Amino acid sequence: MTYEDKLFAALADPTRRAIFERVAGRRQSVAELARGMPVSQPAISQHLKVLKEARLVRDEPSGARRIYSIDPEGLGPLRAWLDRFWSDQLAAFKAVVETADDN
């Protein structure tokens, strides 16, 4: 499975996307994440495991708990993948504008 496949499989689930968005807002523990979600704490842990394997989040120990945050190293390849489409679209737009200017 490619990085992009793992990434999109991880974000395909609405609960994982919600967790990812909450962690993007601020670093949180599993217990903090579970308080605002309609799933159990063990389910949050399983979702975090998938997000971590996709390199979207990382964790660090803080006493007896783990604190989750966005993994900037994992977001880099995602950004590059998305930027590729943006660059292609800008080039296509430029070609259309230049063709229109020639007429």
Side-chain angles (χ1 to χ4, degrees), residues 16-82:
R16 281 195 288 272
R17 278 196 314 275
I19 292 168
F20 178 75
E21 289 173 10
R22 289 190 57 193
V23 171
R26 72 176 182 85
R27 300 163 14 110
Q28 296 183 56
S29 69
V30 174
E32 290 171 308
L33 287 164
R35 269 185 241 142
M37 303 291 294
V39 295
S40 68
Q41 192 166 327
I44 295 290
S45 294
Q46 288 300 312
H47 285 299
L48 284 166
K49 179 181 177 186
V50 173
L51 291 168
K52 189 174 175 182
E53 288 172 355
R55 297 184 359 226
L56 290 168
V57 300
R58 63 182 176 187
D59 63 335
E60 59 186 67
S62 177
R65 58 191 187 147
R66 303 203 69 75
I67 305 298
Y68 288 84
S69 61
I70 293 295
D71 186 344
E73 290 180 25
L75 286 182
L78 171 61
R79 171 93 193 251
W81 188 84
L82 290 170

